[in-house]
Amino acid sequence: MFTMSTPKKRRPSARSKPKTAKFGGFGWLRRILFILAPVVILILGGYVFYLDYTVRQQFEGKRWALPARVYASPVELYAGLEMDAADLESILEQLKYRADPALSTQASYVRLGGEITLNTREFKFWDKTEPARHMRIVFSGGTLETLEDVDEGKELSLLRLEPIQIGSFYPALKEDRILIKLDQAPKPLVNALLAVEDRDFYDHFGVSPKGIARALWADMRAGGFVQGGSTLTQQLVKNFYLNSERTLVRKLNEVIMALLLEAHYSKDEILEAYMNEIYLGQDGARAVHGFGLASDYYFSRSLDELELQHAALLVALVRGPSFYDPIKTPDKAKKRRDLVLDEMAEQAYITKAQAEQAKTKPLDVVEDPHQAISRYPAFLDLVRRQLQQEYRNEDLTSEGLRIFTTLDVEAQDSLEDSIASTLKKLDKQTRSDGALETAAVITRRTTGEIAALAGSRDPKSAGFNRAVDSVRQIGSLYKPVVYLTALSNPQKYTVLTSLQDTALRLSNPGGGAWTPKNYDGQEHGPVPLHKALAHSYNLATVRVGMGVGVAHTVKTLHNLGVERSMPVFPSTLLGVGELTPMEVAQMYQTLASDGFVTPLKAIQSVVSQDGKPLHRYGLNVKQSVDPGAVYLLDTVLQEVARSGTAKSVYSYLPADFNVAGKTGTTNDLRDSWFAGFTGDYLGVVWIGRDDNQPAKLTGAQGALQVWGSTMGKISHEPLQLDPPENVEMVWIDRGKGLRTGEGCEGATRYPFIQGSAPAGFSDCGGSSQEVGGEPEESLLKGLF
C-alpha cells in the first residue's frame, strides 16, 4: 500500500535568485561606463588629434611675426668732413658701441682726446656687406683729418658706419627677436641652459618626472629657485602655444603637447626654437625674445662674442627677466648668475676655478640699451605711407624686412632743437600760451631725399602729422609760381620788365569785388619784376598773374610736381589756395633742381630678412619746366634773401651762402611760412595754430627763424647756380635799362633767356658790352 507524503519546501539558493538581481549593486555603473567608454576614448582621441594638428601646423609654418627694422641713412666718414671727436662719439653711443680700452669685440671704441680707435661692426647693406674694421680716426680743428685702417696699414677714402635704427613696425604683439640657428649659439650658453633648466633634455621624451623631483630637492638645498621642474620642451609649449595661466587643464595640455612635439621633431629643432622663443626682458613696449636679441640688447654683442659670464647672465634671466633685471636689480641678477655658474661647475661643464673667475666679472651690461619703437614718429609715419603703396601692412609687420631710409639723424635732431627753442621764444612774443604749432620738411637739394621732418612741435607726438596732412593757405609762397609763368614767356617778361604796383579792382567769381592791397598798405608805382618779387608786392603780382592768366599759373604749379587741384580765382595769385608742407616742399624742390621734378622720397631700399634686396628707390626725375626760366627765378629768390623779405636769414648763415628763398604770410597773420634752399639742403617750415586763429607772425618773424636756426647747424655748402645753355649774362645800365659796358656807372649784370635782353645801348659801353661771366656777380652783387 502506498502512502503519500507531504513534499518538503526548498530554501531558495543563490543560484535561484531572480535574474533582475544579476546587475544589482554597482552593476548599473559598469553598464554606463561600458557604454560611455568608446565615446570618451573617441573624444579624447579627437582632442589629442586636434592638439597634434595645432603643434605641427604652427611649428612647421611661420613660427614668429618678425617686425620690420627701420634705419636712418648711414653715416659716412671721410677726410675733410666737418666733425670732431665728440660728434663721432655721440654717433657711436647711438649705435650702442661700448667704450672698451681693450677693443675686445666689434662695436667697441676708445677715445683719447681728438683720436678715436674703434672696431666697427660688420653690417649688410642693400648693396654690399661692410666688413668689421679696426680703425684709427684723428680729428683736428673740427675736421676729420685721418681715417686709417689699422690692420691694412693704409688710409681709407671713405668709411660707411652701420645706420642707426630709428624704429620698427610691429604687429599687435610687440615681440622682437633676432632669429638664430642652433649652431650659432655658443657652447657655454647651451651648457648653462641645460645645466639649470633641463639637464636631462637629450634623454627624456618631453616630460621628466626625475627632473621634477631633482629640481625640488635642489631648490630646497639652495633655499631658492635653482632648477626648473618643467622640461625645456614643456617651457617651449607653454610660451609658444599656451599661456601662463595656472590651471589643471592648461598643465595637461602642456604635457600632451610636449609629448607630441617630441614625437614629431628632433631635440635640436626643439632647442633651437626654444632659444628663439624664450622671453628675456622688456624694453618699454617692446618685448625682448630669444638669446640672439638679448645678447645684442644687454651687451651690444653678437652671440659669438659672449664670454662665460655673459652666457650665464642670459640664462639667469630665463627664470624671471623682471625679477633678475640686470639694469634695475643688478644685485639680484649677479646672485642668480653666480648660481648658474655653480650649477655648471657641479655638472662639470666648467671647472670650479672657471666658475669662480667668472663670478668676479661685472655684469657688463650697456648703460642705455633702450631701442625706441618709434624714435621719430612723424617721419616713420611718412615711411609707412610710402611703403604701403607697394607692401601689405601684414608684410611690414611680420616679415622681418629691413628698411633703409633717407633720414639724417643729425639734421633731424637739429630741426627738433630749433623748433623747441624758437617756438618757446615765439610763445612769449605772441602770448600764445603754447598754442603755436609747426611742421617742417628738410630735403637734400640734389636728390629730393627727406633728411628731416617734423609733424608737430612735440617731436614724440604720434598723432596728427601736420607735415603730411595739414592743408593750409600758402600765401606768398605761391608768388614764385606766378613769376615763373611770366618768365617762361621771355618775349614779354624778363627780370627787368617794368610792372605797375598800383591799386586795382577785380570782379570775384562768387560776386562782389576784390581789391587786393600790399602788406605795408602802400603803392610802389612802376618797379622791375625782380624787385616786385624780392619785396613780395601784392599789387604787381596780381597784375602779372592776370596778364599771364590764373589758369596758366595753376598749370605751372602742377608742372612743379603738385597734384592737388587749385581754384582758378584771382585771389589764388596771392596764395589763398591750400597745400601741405610736403606739397610745398615738392614745389620748391623742382625750383631747386633746375626745373626737374624730383619726387620727394623717404626710403632708399628695402631688404628681406635674409639680406636679399627687394626694392631700390632710385632717383627718378623729369624735366617739366624750362630750366632757363627756373634759373632766372632762382636768382630773384636769392635777391629775396639778400635784400628782400627774407634778409634776416643771414643772421644765421654766412653772407656768401647765396640762399634762395621766399617768405609766406596769409591774411590776418594766420600762417607763417618760409621755403628756401642752400647748396646742400632745401627746407620748408610752417608755423600756425590748429584752431586757425592768427599766429600773429609774418613768414620772416616765425617760420624763417626755425629754418635759419636749423640750416645754420646742418648746411655747409653755399648755393652756386649754374646757368643753362639758353641763358646769357648781359651788363645793363640800371638807370636806363639798356645794355652797357662792365666798367660803366650803374652797370649790373643780369640773366636773360637768349634773345630777350634789351637791344639798345646806353651812351657808355657802346656795342662792346661783355657777355658771359659768373651769374652771382650780376643780380646778386651788382645790385647791392
Side-chain angles (χ1 to χ4, degrees):
M1 178 176 211
F2 295 94
T3 58
M4 296 181 64
S5 59
T6 305
K8 295 180 179 180
K9 293 182 179 180
R10 290 184 181 178
R11 293 181 180 178
S13 64
R15 293 180 180 180
S16 62
K17 287 181 180 179
K19 291 183 178 181
T20 55
K22 183 177 180 180
F23 291 100
F26 292 100
W28 62 273
L29 181 58
R30 289 198 297 270
R31 176 185 291 178
I32 292 174
L33 291 177
F34 182 77
I35 296 172
L36 292 180
V39 177
V40 172
I41 292 172
L42 184 63
I43 293 174
L44 288 176
Y47 186 64
V48 171
F49 179 80
Y50 163 74
L51 292 180
D52 183 69
Y53 172 78
T54 301
V55 166
R56 287 185 291 108
Q57 183 187 48
Q58 191 164 339
F59 201 82
E60 294 172 6
K62 183 179 176 181
R63 297 180 187 175
W64 297 284
L66 301 177
R69 300 179 187 277
V70 186
Y71 297 95
S73 184
V75 176
E76 295 183 338
L77 305 179
Y78 52 89
L81 176 66
E82 291 187 25
M83 173 185 281
D84 59 25
D87 294 332
L88 178 57
E89 187 171 29
S90 174
I91 293 170
L92 296 177
E93 288 173 353
Q94 293 182 71
L95 288 168
K96 310 301 182 185
Y97 275 51
R98 294 173 296 102
D100 177 9
L103 295 176
S104 54
T105 65
Q106 295 182 27
S108 59
Y109 76 97
V110 59
R111 176 185 173 187
L112 295 175
E115 180 176 319
I116 291 180
T117 305
L118 72 155
N119 288 334
T120 66
R121 185 186 280 129
E122 180 181 308
F123 192 86
K124 191 168 187 177
F125 285 91
W126 61 89
D127 52 354
K128 68 175 184 177
T129 298
E130 289 289 345
R133 298 179 186 272
H134 183 196
M135 298 296 303
R136 174 177 166 269
I137 304 175
V138 181
F139 298 89
S140 178
T143 302
L144 195 159
E145 189 174 79
T146 303
L147 191 64
E148 179 187 0
D149 186 322
V150 177
D151 292 338
E152 296 289 332
K154 64 179 182 180
E155 292 196 14
L156 299 183
S157 59
L158 181 73
L159 174 66
R160 180 167 60 168
L161 295 176
E162 67 270 28
I164 296 171
Q165 185 176 340
I166 58 173
S168 299
F169 295 142
Y170 287 89
L173 292 176
K174 292 181 172 59
E175 294 183 358
D176 202 358
R177 50 178 53 82
I178 297 175
L179 296 183
I180 64 168
K181 296 293 184 181
L182 184 59
D183 59 11
Q184 293 176 285
K187 200 65 177 176
L189 178 63
V190 176
N191 291 341
L193 182 64
L194 296 178
V196 175
E197 295 298 327
D198 193 352
R199 65 173 64 177
D200 298 321
F201 175 71
Y202 281 99
D203 297 322
H204 62 64
F205 46 84
V207 179
S208 177
K210 184 173 71 170
I212 295 173
R214 183 173 57 248
L216 290 173
W217 174 245
D219 289 347
M220 285 189 293
R221 281 196 311 160
F225 291 109
V226 177
Q227 294 184 12
S230 297
T231 65
L232 291 181
T233 311
Q234 287 176 269
Q235 293 180 45
L236 176 61
V237 166
K238 181 182 71 173
N239 295 325
F240 196 59
Y241 298 101
L242 305 174
N243 53 48
S244 299
E245 185 182 25
R246 293 179 177 271
T247 66
L248 180 60
V249 172
R250 204 275 299 160
K251 192 65 179 178
L252 288 173
N253 283 337
E254 177 188 302
V255 170
I256 295 171
M257 295 176 85
L259 295 173
L260 292 169
L261 198 62
E262 292 266 358
H264 289 296
Y265 306 103
S266 71
K267 290 288 187 179
D268 285 353
E269 288 178 295
I270 293 170
L271 183 57
E272 180 178 290
Y274 178 94
M275 300 193 81
N276 285 307
E277 170 60 29
I278 187 66
Y279 170 67
L280 292 171
Q282 193 70 32
D283 178 23
R286 178 178 74 139
V288 177
H289 283 259
F291 288 105
L293 179 60
S295 177
D296 180 73
Y297 174 70
Y298 289 110
F299 307 119
S300 192
R301 296 172 182 252
S302 59
L303 278 177
D304 60 1
E305 295 175 324
L306 293 182
E307 299 176 19
L308 175 59
Q309 69 272 14
H310 301 129
L313 179 57
L314 291 183
V315 172
L317 297 174
V318 171
R319 186 56 57 90
S322 298
F323 189 79
Y324 297 110
D325 188 331
I327 299 168
K328 296 180 180 178
T329 57
D331 292 339
K332 292 179 181 178
K334 185 178 186 305
K335 184 177 179 180
R336 175 67 184 170
R337 181 201 70 176
D338 292 349
L339 282 173
V340 172
L341 290 167
D342 287 337
E343 279 295 308
M344 293 181 72
E346 183 178 326
Q347 296 177 49
Y349 285 118
I350 58 175
T351 65
K352 292 283 186 181
Q354 287 175 316
E356 292 305 316
Q357 183 182 17
K359 288 181 185 180
T360 65
K361 300 292 182 66
L363 295 180
D364 196 29
V365 295
V366 297
E367 291 185 9
D368 180 19
H370 177 61
Q371 174 61 59
I373 289 178
S374 183
R375 181 170 171 179
Y376 304 115
F379 180 79
L380 287 171
D381 173 57
L382 175 62
V383 169
R384 182 187 282 269
R385 295 188 196 202
Q386 292 190 354
L387 286 170
Q388 285 176 337
Q389 297 175 16
E390 294 165 347
Y391 295 90
R392 299 177 303 169
N393 188 61
E394 59 200 79
D395 294 332
L396 296 179
T397 58
S398 66
E399 294 296 335
L401 301 178
R402 293 194 300 154
I403 300 160
F404 296 93
T405 74
T406 60
L407 184 112
D408 182 325
V409 171
E410 178 190 1
Q412 181 69 36
D413 290 344
S414 297
L415 174 62
E416 292 179 0
D417 290 345
S418 296
I419 287 173
S421 59
T422 304
L423 263 66
K424 182 179 179 180
K425 178 182 65 177
L426 295 178
D427 281 338
K428 293 181 180 179
Q429 178 181 324
T430 61
R431 299 179 181 179
S432 61
D433 195 26
L436 291 178
E437 266 297 351
T438 188
V441 182
I442 308 293
T443 71
R444 296 181 180 88
R445 186 180 74 88
T446 57
T447 64
E449 294 176 338
I450 298 173
L453 183 138
S456 168
R457 68 183 293 166
D458 177 6
K460 303 306 178 186
S461 174
F464 184 49
N465 192 343
R466 292 166 186 80
V468 181
D469 295 323
S470 182
V471 183
R472 307 287 299 209
Q473 289 187 352
I474 64 172
S476 295
L477 293 190
Y478 191 82
K479 288 176 181 174
V481 179
V482 177
Y483 287 93
L484 178 61
T485 307
L487 292 170
S488 297
N489 183 5
Q491 301 309 312
K492 187 173 181 182
Y493 294 97
T494 70
V495 294
L496 292 180
T497 298
S498 181
L499 306 176
Q500 291 298 319
D501 187 63
T502 54
L504 71 165
R505 181 184 180 90
L506 298 170
S507 298
N508 236 330
W514 180 52
T515 55
K517 298 183 182 301
N518 282 324
Y519 177 73
D520 61 5
Q522 304 296 315
E523 298 178 30
H524 304 94
V527 293
L529 182 147
H530 67 85
K531 184 177 181 180
L533 177 55
H535 294 277
S536 202
Y537 292 156
N538 290 338
L539 300 177
T541 301
V542 172
R543 289 185 178 276
V544 171
M546 295 305 292
V548 299
V550 179
H552 284 109
T553 70
V554 172
K555 182 179 179 181
T556 299
L557 178 71
H558 293 156
N559 288 339
L560 292 173
V562 177
E563 297 179 356
R564 187 182 298 272
S565 61
M566 192 68 61
V568 186
F569 300 149
S571 56
T572 297
L573 301 170
L574 297 184
V576 299
E578 299 177 332
L579 296 176
T580 66
M582 275 286 290
E583 289 171 323
V584 173
Q586 181 64 75
M587 173 174 70
Y588 277 81
Q589 183 71 44
T590 305
L591 297 179
S593 302
D594 304 321
F596 286 88
V597 173
T598 308
L600 304 187
K601 64 176 183 177
I603 308 165
Q604 289 183 330
S605 182
V606 178
V607 176
S608 67
Q609 183 219 339
D610 58 4
K612 179 182 178 182
L614 300 178
H615 198 115
R616 286 289 301 273
Y617 293 79
L619 192 61
N620 181 22
V621 300
K622 180 182 68 173
Q623 182 82 59
S624 62
V625 185
D626 174 36
V630 171
Y631 177 83
L632 266 57
L633 177 69
D634 286 349
T635 62
V636 180
L637 293 179
Q638 288 179 312
E639 184 182 351
V640 172
R642 181 66 63 185
S643 62
T645 58
K647 60 185 177 182
S648 61
V649 75
Y650 284 106
S651 62
Y652 298 96
L653 292 166
D656 63 353
F657 251 53
N658 301 326
V659 174
K662 184 70 187 76
T663 55
T665 309
T666 60
N667 288 341
D668 302 322
L669 304 181
R670 296 179 189 276
D671 300 276
S672 170
W673 289 91
F674 185 74
F677 47 96
T678 62
D680 45 5
Y681 289 104
L682 175 144
V684 171
V685 179
W686 166 85
I687 293 177
R689 294 175 54 134
D690 287 340
D691 60 9
N692 207 32
Q693 292 299 307
K696 303 176 184 178
L697 296 166
T698 65
Q701 292 169 340
L704 184 147
Q705 308 304 313
V706 172
W707 189 98
S709 175
T710 303
M711 291 296 179
K713 299 171 185 174
I714 68 172
S715 182
H716 303 292
E717 297 179 15
L719 177 61
Q720 303 292 339
L721 297 176
D722 297 319
E725 294 181 355
N726 65 335
V727 170
E728 60 179 342
M729 306 300 299
V730 180
W731 289 99
I732 298 293
D733 182 330
R734 289 202 306 270
K736 299 179 179 179
L738 299 174
R739 290 175 180 257
T740 189
E742 177 182 358
C744 297
E745 183 179 355
T748 304
R749 201 159 31 174
Y750 289 95
F752 293 90
I753 301 294
Q754 286 183 353
S756 65
F761 294 90
S762 66
D763 296 335
C764 178
S767 60
S768 62
Q769 79 288 350
E770 298 184 23
V771 178
E774 294 299 323
E776 62 271 18
E777 296 178 359
S778 57
L779 187 56
L780 298 177
K781 291 189 176 179
L783 276 176
F784 317 114

